[in-house]
């Protein structure tokens, strides 16, 4: 039976995992990627639940035994790697798509585990940094590309 004290430990951790997953997934949905809100929210929730299964809410710290954490982290990282691999595609011309979404799924699992463990500074800073990379990374890449290509002199075309 879950007590009120248990809920004060569990509920903030699960809700924060849900929020992080929705925020990351919304970014991917807005960019029409294959893995969106539902996938990312489920990844963060699953990772949070995996580590929450180790947490004894009756313990003073609410933290699990370190040996158990390492085993769960290894399992989550391995499992989510297969999920991330499923969103990576290569077209017949050899172009690879989905790497950013796969990386976002991986970091969503990591942030979900941090939520489950209640590491709030890492959850907050990690979520903000990931969203900054997702939002500003593309425009930054295009800006750098324009600068680099703008400084290069085009090769002269030989007359025929």
């Amino acid at each position: 039976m879950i007590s009120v004290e248990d809920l004060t430990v569990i509920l903030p951790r699960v809700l924060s995992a849900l929020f992080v997953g929705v925020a990351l997934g919304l970014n991917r949905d807005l960019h029409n990627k294959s893995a969106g809100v539902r996938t990312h929210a489920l990844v963060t929730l699953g990772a949070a639940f995996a580590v929450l299964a180790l947490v004894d809410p009756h313990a003073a710290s609410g933290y699990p035994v370190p040996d158990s954490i390492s085993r769960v982290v290894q399992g989550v990282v391995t499992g989510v790697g297969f999920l991330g691999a499923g969103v990576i595609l290569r077209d017949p011309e050899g172009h690879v798509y989905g790497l950013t979404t796969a990386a976002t799924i991986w970091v969503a699992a990591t942030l979900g585990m941090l939520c489950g463990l209640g590491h709030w500074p890492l959850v907050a800073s990690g979520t903000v940094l990931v969203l900054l990379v997702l939002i500003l990374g593309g425009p930054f890449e295009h800006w750098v590309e324009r600068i680099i290509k703008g400084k290069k002199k085009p090769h002269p075309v030989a007359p025929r």
Side-chain angles (χ1 to χ4, degrees):
M1 179 89 166
I2 296 177
S3 68
V4 174
E5 292 83 23
D6 295 345
L7 284 177
T8 61
V9 171
I10 295 168
L11 202 55
R13 295 176 186 205
V14 171
L15 291 177
S16 65
L18 179 63
F19 174 78
V20 168
V22 167
L24 298 180
L26 183 60
N27 173 274
R28 300 287 75 207
D29 265 342
L30 293 174
H31 288 89
N32 298 315
K33 301 303 178 182
S34 57
V37 170
R38 291 179 297 170
T39 303
H40 285 81
L42 290 172
V43 167
T44 54
L45 281 171
F49 284 132
V51 296
L52 271 170
L54 306 173
V55 174
D56 179 7
H58 302 293
S61 68
Y63 291 109
V65 179
D67 295 355
S68 302
I69 296 172
S70 68
R71 288 191 297 275
V72 170
V73 167
Q74 290 171 15
V76 169
V77 169
T78 300
V80 86
F82 285 105
L83 183 61
V87 299
I88 300 172
L89 304 170
R90 184 172 12 165
D91 67 14
E93 297 167 1
H95 299 104
V96 177
Y97 300 95
L99 291 174
T100 300
T101 300
T104 306
I105 289 172
W106 183 83
V107 79
T110 304
L111 290 169
M113 287 186 286
L114 290 171
C115 289
L117 293 169
H119 290 299
W120 306 123
L122 288 174
V123 171
S125 60
T127 302
V128 167
L129 289 172
V130 170
L131 287 171
L132 283 173
V133 168
L134 290 174
I135 293 167
L136 301 176
F140 178 73
E141 287 175 350
H142 296 305
W143 177 73
V144 170
E145 187 177 359
R146 278 195 316 267
I147 289 175
I148 290 172
K149 286 185 177 178
K151 289 186 177 182
K152 287 184 180 178
K153 293 182 180 178
H155 294 289
V157 178
R160 292 184 181 208

